C-alpha cells in the first residue's frame, strides 16, 4: 500500500509518496504534474543500471516520452563540472519553465539535480526519486539542494522544494548492507531527536529492519519523513528548529573531514557515531540521565551500526584537531560551535553554550577507547 506524507508549504506544498514498486508506477504518479508528456531524467551510472529502464518503461506506459543523462556515481560528481554539464544538457534538451526534471538516485543526484532545477530558467519543477535509504528519509525532503565547493561540502546551493517525492521502498533491497545501515543512522536520529515512541519501536523492531521487512521499512521511512516534514514546515530555511536535524552532525562533520569524506566513514555512519557522542556529552553535562547514552549505543549496536570512534578504521587526529575541524562547519556562527544535545531520548535542543573542556575530554576519552 502506498502511503502519503503531505508537506504543507503553501504554494510550494508537495506529497511524499512511500511504498513498494513506486518506480514501476512512476508514469501514473507523475502524469498529473506534466504540462506536456515529456520529461528529462538525470541519474548516475550505478542507479541507472539498476532502475532507469524501469522508470522509462513506466513513463512510456503512460505515453510520457523521456530523455536521460547518466552522470558518474559518487560524491565527486557533486561539484561544478557535472553541475554545468547537467544544466547545459537540460537546456540542450529544451526543458522549459513548465517542464519537470526527474532526479533518480541517492543524495548526490538529488542535491545536484535539485539545484540545477532551481537555477534553470530561474526555476523549473523537479521530482525526487530517491534510491538510497538516506535520500528517502532525509535529503529528498525539505528542499535543500546544492553542490560541494573546494572550500567545503554543500557550500553552493538553494532552497528549492520538489514537486513530488517517490520513495520506492522496493529499491532498498538492492542497497549494499553498509549503505543501508548508514541510512539507518538518519532514521534512528529522528527517534533520538523528537520521538521517544519511534525510538522504542526501533528498539523492538531491529531484527525486522535488518531483514528489510517491507512493512517495517515502510513504517521507518514514513515516520522519518513525517518528522522531517513537520520540522521543515516549522522552519523551511533553517532559522531555528530545522537545526535539530543536525543532531550528531557537529561531531560527524569533524569525523568526515578527518577521514577525507570517503569510504572510511559514510555520512550516515558519522551521524550514528555523532549521535552517540551527543548523548554521552548530554549525560556528562547532567542534561539527561546516564541511561540514555547506553540505550542509544545499544540500539545502534543491535542494528549493526558504527557507534564509537573505535569503529573507524585507520588513524584519527587528536581531540584538539577534531574540535578545530568542527569549527570549519558551515553552521558555525561567529566562531561559536552549536551542538544539538538532549534532555532525554526524543527531546533534543540546540545550544551554543557548551564548555569547550567538556567536548575536549569527551573526545579524548572516545579516542583512548581506540588504543
Ligand atoms: N539534512 C538536514 C536538513 O535537511 O535540514
Amino acid at each position: 500500500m502506498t502511503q502519503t506524507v503531505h508537506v504543507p508549504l503553501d504554494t510550494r506544498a508537495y506529497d511524499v509518496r512511500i511504498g513498494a514498486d513506486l518506480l514501476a508506477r512512476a508514469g501514473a504518479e507523475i502524469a498529473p504534474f506534466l504540462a506536456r508528456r515529456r520529461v528529462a531524467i538525470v541519474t548516475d551510472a550505478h542507479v541507472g543500471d539498476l532502475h532507469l529502464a524501469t522508470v522509462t518503461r513506466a513513463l512510456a506506459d503512460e505515453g510520457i516520452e523521456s530523455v536521460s543523462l547518466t552522470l558518474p556515481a559518487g560524491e565527486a560528481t557533486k561539484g561544478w563540472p557535472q553541475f554545468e554539464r547537467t544544466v547545459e544538457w537540460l537546456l540542450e534538451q529544451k526543458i522549459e519553465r513548465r517542464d519537470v526534471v526527474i532526479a533518480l538516485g541517492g543524495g548526490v543526484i538529488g542535491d545536484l539535480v535539485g539545484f540545477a532545477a532551481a537555477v534553470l530558467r530561474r526555476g523549473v519543477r523537479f521530482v525526487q526519486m530517491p534510491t538510497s535509504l538516506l535520500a528517502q528519509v532525509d535529503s529528498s525532503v525539505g528542499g535543500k539542494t546544492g553542490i560541494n565547493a573546494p572550500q567545503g561540502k554543500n557550500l553552493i546551493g538553494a532552497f528549492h522544494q520538489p514537486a513530488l517525492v517517490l520513495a520506492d521502498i522496493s529499491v532498498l533491497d538492492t542497497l549494499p548492507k553498509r549503505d543501508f545501515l548508514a541510512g539507518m543512522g538518519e532514521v534512528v536520529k529522528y527517534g533520538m531527536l523528537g520521538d521517544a515512541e519511534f525510538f522504542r519501536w526501533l528498539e523492538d523492531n531491529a531484527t525486522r529492519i535488518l531483514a528489510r521487512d517491507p512493512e517495517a521499512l515502510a513504517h521507518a521511512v514514513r515516520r522519518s519523513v513525517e518528522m522531517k516534514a513537520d520540522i521543515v514546515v516549522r522552519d523551511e530555511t533553517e532559522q531555528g528548529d530545522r537545526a535539530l536535524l543536525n543532531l550528531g552532525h557537529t561531531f560527524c562533520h569533524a569525523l568526515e573531514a578527518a577521514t577525507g569524506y570517503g569510504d572510511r566513514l559514510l555520512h550516515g555512519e558519522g551521524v550514528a557515531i555523532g549521535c552517540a557522542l551527543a548523548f554521552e556529552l548530554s549525560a556528562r553535562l547532567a542534561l539527561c540521565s546516564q541511561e540514555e547514552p547506553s540505550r542509544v549505543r545499544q540500539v545502534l549496536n543491535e542494528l549493526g551500526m558504527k557507534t564509537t570512534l573505535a569503529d573507524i578504521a585507520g588513524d584519527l587526529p587528536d581531540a584538539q584537531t577534531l574540535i578545530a575541524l568542527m569549527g570549519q562547519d558551515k553552521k558555525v556562527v561567529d566562531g561559536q560551535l552549536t551542538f544539538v544535545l538532549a534532555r532525554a531520548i526524543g527531546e533534543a535542543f540546540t545550544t551554543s553554550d557548551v564548555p569547550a573542556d567538556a567536548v575536549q575530554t569527551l573526545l579524548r576519552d572516545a579516542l583512548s577507547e581506540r588504543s
Side-chain angles (χ1 to χ4, degrees), residues 77-95:
T77 289
K78 207 174 135 177
W80 284 120
Q82 297 296 339
F83 175 74
E84 183 180 5
R85 178 179 168 198
T86 302
V87 171
E88 292 195 354
W89 177 79
L90 290 168
L91 290 172
E92 278 159 21
Q93 298 305 318
K94 304 205 173 2
I95 294 303

Side-chain angles (χ1 to χ4, degrees), residues 149-168:
Q151 290 79 1
K153 278 185 79 174
N154 295 324
L155 291 183
I156 303 152
F159 285 99
H160 187 53
Q161 300 292 342
L164 173 71
V165 182
L166 296 182
D168 183 341

Side-chain angles (χ1 to χ4, degrees), residues 300-323:
L300 295 174
N301 275 326
E302 272 170 24
L303 285 163
M305 289 153 64
K306 293 193 187 339
T307 52
T308 71
L309 299 192
D311 295 328
I312 304 173
D315 291 339
L316 283 179
D318 62 16
Q320 202 55 48
T321 309
L322 285 174
I323 291 172

